[in-house]
Structures are given as structure tokens and as C-alpha cells.
Amino acid sequence: MAEALHKRLSETLADKLQDEIVRLTPGERLPTEAELARRFDVSRTVVRETARLLIQRGLVTVKPGRGMTVAELDGRLIAEQYGLLMRRSEGSFAQLLELRLVLEVEMAQLAAARRTEQHLADLEDANRRLAGALDRPGARDEFLDADLRFHEIVARASGNPFFSLVIGPLNGFLRDTYRGSPGYPAEAAHTVEEHVQIAEAIAAGDPSRARFATENHLRRIMRHRDRLVTENEAIPTRT
């Protein structure tokens, strides 16, 4: 019973401290174990359990002699956890493409309004690598990398960091699926052409055109998904 009480107290305290931590800067020190115990009128055992929960949430780090400090938030950890949840779902490849359509059409529209010169240079570089790998024997992985990188750049160009967090796991699915599918190269030439159209619309600062070009690209993939993968190839799970 005492153990259950400690658990409830530590979870409550972790929630309270979390609200404070998100307003602090990375590297900032939190009160000591003794100070927290006095402030919240709990035992040091509860404080230690609270620290463990905050570490699990990626909010703090604990170093000898420094105690708890605010951690740098790592978006990759969030993306990996999100990806694991998706892999445990029962979704189909077709449903994954529906999710891409909803996200990436709006993402491209925002990118056209918010992109920087560096984003445009990165999009051009990705498309140059894509076209260069198109007909080169043995360059399938290079083509796939450039293909997915293009969409990651559009996510960054949107100016919304949440798009990048979502696109990472989606691209992980696509990488695993396409890498093992003999049908992926069949649509490669269309991908090159459509990526150019998307990049040109974003460079022109035309949100409507970027939206249309992206929707055209993704709907073509949805129509021809049977050429890309068979349903039993998607969604892959890692062991």
C-alpha cells in the first residue's frame, strides 16, 4: 500500500514539475532533492521516483554533483516513439497514403509562403540527386534517399516543427516498404517530374499551386499503389 501511495505521489509531483520545466531553458538546474522534498512535503524516496519519471519523459537529466537539469528536448525520441506506435497499428499502406495526403498538401502550401532561400537550395539539390539517380544502375537507394529527403525539406520549409516530427516516422515506413519492393522503380520518372513541379511552386511563393502539385503527386501514388507494393508488403514491422 505504501508503494502504491509513493507511486501516486511521484506521478502527481512529476506532473507539477513538468508544468514548470517546460517554461525553463535547457541546462537550467532544478532544486535539489532535499529542497523538493521540503517544498512539496514528500519524502526523498518520492522525489527520487519523480526524477526517474521526468527522465523517462525526456524532460530532465541527472548528473553527479549537479542534480536534475532541464534536458534538451530531442524530437527524434518523440518521432521514434510515434513510429513504434504506428508500427503496432493495423493500418494498411493505402491508409498511410491517405495520411500523407492530408498532411503534405497543407505542408506544401505553408512551405510556399514561408520557405527560405536555403530551403529552396536544399529542394533543388534533392531534385538534382533524384534525377541523377534515375537511370543509373545500382542507384536505387540513392534515389529513395533523395525522394524522402525532398519531403523532409518541404516539412522544414513549412515553418512548423510538428510536420517534421510526423514526416520522420512516415518516411521510415516508406523507406522500409519501398526498399524491399520490386515495383518502386516503375514510378520513378513520374516522381522526378512531380517533385520539380512542387519545388517550382514553392519557389514561386504560390501556395495554391504548391497545394495542387503536391495533391497531384500523392494522388498519383495512391492510384498506382498496387504497382509500388503489394498489400502484404506494407506496413513492415521490424524485429
Side-chain angles (χ1 to χ4, degrees), residues 120-228:
L120 297 181
D122 290 343
L123 288 172
E124 183 178 350
D125 179 67
N127 279 343
R128 184 167 55 249
R129 292 174 183 271
L130 196 70
L134 179 60
D135 297 318
R136 196 164 70 248
R140 174 183 171 132
D141 284 350
E142 184 179 340
F143 185 94
L144 178 56
D145 288 343
D147 182 0
L148 299 180
R149 180 170 176 264
F150 178 88
H151 292 276
E152 290 169 356
I153 296 166
V154 175
R156 292 201 302 272
S158 75
N160 186 328
F162 290 105
F163 278 125
S164 292
L165 290 178
V166 175
I167 287 298
L170 291 180
N171 278 356
F173 278 111
L174 293 172
R175 188 182 303 278
D176 289 347
T177 302
Y178 288 154
R179 183 168 285 159
S181 172
Y184 174 68
E187 295 291 313
H190 294 296
T191 294
V192 171
E193 179 182 350
E194 290 160 2
H195 276 204
V196 168
Q197 293 170 354
I198 295 169
E200 288 179 345
I202 291 174
D206 189 334
S208 296
R209 184 175 153 201
R211 182 185 183 92
F212 176 82
T214 303
E215 183 172 357
N216 180 61
H217 171 55
L218 294 174
R219 287 198 181 279
R220 189 265 305 169
I221 293 174
M222 294 177 73
R223 288 194 305 272
H224 298 165
R225 63 181 181 272
D226 291 342
R227 300 182 192 176
L228 293 166

Side-chain angles (χ1 to χ4, degrees), residues 63-80:
K63 295 181 180 179
R66 283 186 56 82
M68 285 192 292
T69 59
V70 179
E72 292 274 359
L73 290 180
D74 189 349
R76 291 174 299 176
L77 176 62
I78 299 171
E80 287 172 5

Side-chain angles (χ1 to χ4, degrees), residues 4 10 24-25 31-32 40 48 82-83 88 116 118 128 130 146 148 151 167 201 215 229 232 238:
S10 60
L24 302 177
T25 57
T32 66
F40 292 100
R48 285 192 287 271
Y82 175 59
R88 296 178 66 178
T116 66
Q118 185 59 58
R128 184 167 55 249
L130 196 70
L148 299 180
H151 292 276
I167 287 298
E215 183 172 357
V229 296
N232 61 2
R238 289 193 179 113

